[in-house]
Amino acid sequence: MKHRFISKRYWKDKSTPMGKVDELSKGFDDVINLSLGDPDLITDRIIIDNAFQDARNGHTKYTDFRGDPELRQEISTYYKEEYRMDVKDSEIFVAASGCLAMYLALEAILDDGDEVILQAPFFTPYPQQVELARGIPVELATYEEEDFQIQMERLEGLINERTKALVINTPSNPTGSCLTLETMEKIAQIVRKYDLILIADDIYTSFSYQHPFVPIAALEGMRERTIIINSFSKNFTMTGWRIGNIIAPDYIIKTIQMINENVVFTAPSISQRAAIHALRNREAIQPPMVEEYRKRMFYAAERINSIPHMSVIYPPRGTFYLFVNVKETGLNSIEASDCILREAHVLTIPGISFGQCGEGYIRLACTVGIDILKEAFDRLEKVSIFKK
């Protein structure tokens, strides 16, 4: 919006196809929403009840600037038990959401004009988060025919004297792909070779269906040059609690703390208590949740691959997103998503929202039950662009 009272940085309209499709959906009263990554399941009662009791017991005040010491200890214990990583208390920061954690990390490391390479297709906020930190986003394309693995020649071709960091996301939103250990080892070699910082967006670690998740920070020589962004939103269905954390070298954590004190001061105390109980009870909470989404993903992928002019990688690799190839329809991603909405009243997100290499795809979120997914695909089978 152009106005003399608005910063010129925001005069240019940067609304995405995602937002435009969402506006269109309001014209229908029976829309099946497969667009947003907000799980239909609610936070487990173990977390809610314990956090509620903590609130009654007085945990309603500011916490330590780096986060509740109990939560920092639980995070350290988690990495020790799950990944055999020794994470020091001074390397942990608790943030008010994974999104804020990403922005704080970028703000801490970037100088004006620094370039940040983004694994694409990417989580939609990445480019603007880089720009807010006065950096320049650079898209690193990955492709379905390469199983959405990062190709090293393509990566090296983007690196120059202005390159400061690389952002990776595995399991990936939106593609659902998982970087192989071989790919991550090659990435680590390049990051060390060019003296880069790597930001690992480790949001969907529990949703790796083919192989156990391995943090790239656990690879040789990567701890000192990796910033881990984590969140409780998806791994524990806690999207509304807005709680995440950062693991990084202590000098980066100190800088992030200084920045955050002038943004939100501390993360919400109640949400931090909820996160403590999530980690302590993860073995009871996570398996049934992950299994439910796995069933949905496999069901949805099978239905997609049975419909003409739609296809998706099978079996699903991770997350609860499916990146559906609709190139055979002859439409671009916005047109295909619009047609699906108008004819089937099913809301999806055009692939172009996730970077240029996302063109020709739509993203579906399996955040509704199989009964609703069945209804959605029954409708999709009748859409004109999917007829033989």
Side-chain angles (χ1 to χ4, degrees):
M1 175 183 292
K2 187 174 181 179
H3 192 281
R4 73 182 193 281
F5 292 156
I6 299 292
S7 166
K8 293 182 177 64
R9 293 193 302 275
Y10 300 102
W11 279 12
K12 185 177 179 180
D13 181 11
K14 292 189 177 182
S15 58
T16 67
M18 177 166 33
K20 293 173 183 176
V21 170
D22 185 57
E23 281 299 312
L24 282 173
S25 73
K26 295 175 182 176
F28 307 96
D29 59 8
D30 62 343
V31 166
I32 296 176
N33 189 345
L34 303 183
S35 68
L36 296 180
D38 194 358
D40 57 323
L41 304 179
I42 68 166
T43 305
D44 193 281
R45 283 293 301 269
I46 294 173
I47 298 172
I48 296 172
D49 291 347
N50 280 285
F52 177 71
Q53 187 59 50
D54 283 349
R56 293 178 67 91
N57 290 339
H59 287 279
T60 59
K61 301 178 180 296
Y62 294 128
T63 68
D64 183 271
F65 289 131
R66 284 196 296 110
D68 188 317
E70 278 189 69
L71 177 53
R72 300 200 310 259
Q73 180 58 55
E74 289 298 329
I75 292 168
S76 178
T77 300
Y78 170 81
Y79 273 86
K80 181 69 172 178
E81 293 177 351
E82 296 290 330
Y83 308 121
R84 296 186 224 174
M85 287 176 57
D86 292 315
V87 179
K88 298 176 183 177
D89 179 75
S90 60
E91 298 172 326
I92 300 171
F93 181 87
V94 178
S97 79
C99 280
L100 179 60
M102 177 64 78
Y103 168 71
L104 292 170
L106 292 166
E107 181 68 24
I109 67 172
L110 295 183
D111 288 312
D112 293 16
D114 281 348
E115 294 186 1
V116 179
I117 298 174
L118 306 174
Q119 171 193 343
F122 45 65
F123 181 47
T124 50
Y126 286 170
Q128 277 194 265
Q129 287 181 320
V130 171
E131 291 171 350
L132 283 169
R134 297 168 306 284
I136 299 171
V138 177
E139 180 174 327
L140 170 59
T142 66
Y143 298 102
E144 181 181 3
E145 53 268 28
E146 300 167 346
D147 198 26
F148 293 111
Q149 297 298 303
I150 290 175
Q151 298 302 306
M152 300 310 125
E153 297 81 6
R154 204 174 294 138
L155 171 56
E156 284 199 272
L158 296 176
I159 297 172
N160 59 50
E161 67 278 2
R162 295 183 300 276
T163 306
K164 185 69 168 287
L166 165 66
V167 177
I168 66 169
N169 175 214
T170 181
S172 163
N173 173 12
T175 67
S177 62
C178 296
L179 297 178
T180 66
L181 183 58
E182 179 184 7
T183 296
M184 290 198 295
E185 287 172 341
K186 291 179 180 177
I187 291 170
Q189 290 174 4
I190 290 178
V191 168
R192 293 194 299 267
K193 175 181 176 180
Y194 292 96
D195 194 27
L196 303 179
I197 300 171
L198 186 138
I199 302 178
D201 190 355
D202 292 353
I203 301 299
Y204 297 91
T205 57
S206 297
F207 299 92
S208 181
Y209 303 123
Q210 305 300 308
H211 305 285
F213 175 78
V214 176
I216 195 168
L219 301 185
E220 183 180 355
M222 290 302 293
R223 278 294 302 280
E224 59 266 29
R225 58 177 68 253
T226 301
I227 300 173
I228 297 174
I229 305 297
N230 226 318
S231 168
F232 291 80
S233 289
K234 307 304 166 66
N235 279 348
F236 292 98
T237 59
M238 290 174 61
T239 53
W241 297 82
R242 310 316 295 139
I243 192 73
N245 64 268
I246 302 169
I247 295 174
D250 57 6
Y251 64 91
I252 293 179
I253 293 297
K254 287 178 182 177
T255 305
I256 286 171
Q257 176 185 327
M258 178 181 65
I259 297 165
N260 190 67
E261 286 176 21
N262 298 287
V263 178
V264 295
F265 208 57
T266 68
S269 58
I270 306 305
S271 298
Q272 294 191 57
R273 300 305 300 179
I276 291 170
H277 299 297
L279 289 174
R280 286 177 180 169
N281 295 279
R282 63 185 182 276
E283 292 182 3
I285 294 169
Q286 288 186 319
M289 174 192 69
V290 173
E291 178 60 18
E292 171 64 21
Y293 285 117
R294 190 195 70 81
K295 289 178 180 177
R296 295 179 186 184
M297 288 282 284
F298 277 70
Y299 171 80
E302 289 170 358
R303 287 296 303 270
I304 289 165
N305 286 332
S306 72
I307 299 174
H309 312 308
M310 297 180 80
S311 65
V312 71
I313 290 176
Y314 191 90
R317 308 293 199 254
T319 73
F320 38 69
Y321 304 111
L322 292 169
F323 210 49
V324 182
N325 189 324
V326 293
K327 293 177 182 178
E328 288 186 6
T329 66
L331 303 180
N332 66 37
S333 60
I334 295 175
E335 293 167 341
S337 183
D338 181 68
C339 180
I340 290 169
L341 176 60
R342 293 184 186 280
E343 294 189 26
H345 300 180
V346 174
L347 185 61
T348 63
I349 298 182
I352 193 66
S353 303
F354 307 100
Q356 293 300 314
C357 63
E359 185 54 89
Y361 294 82
I362 57 172
R363 193 196 75 173
L364 305 182
C366 295
T367 48
V368 297
I370 287 180
D371 56 335
I372 300 176
L373 287 173
K374 181 181 183 303
E375 170 64 22
F377 290 114
D378 288 349
R379 293 185 190 182
L380 286 173
E381 287 177 333
K382 301 173 184 176
V383 173
S384 58
I385 59 174
F386 300 130
K387 297 293 185 181
K388 287 186 178 179

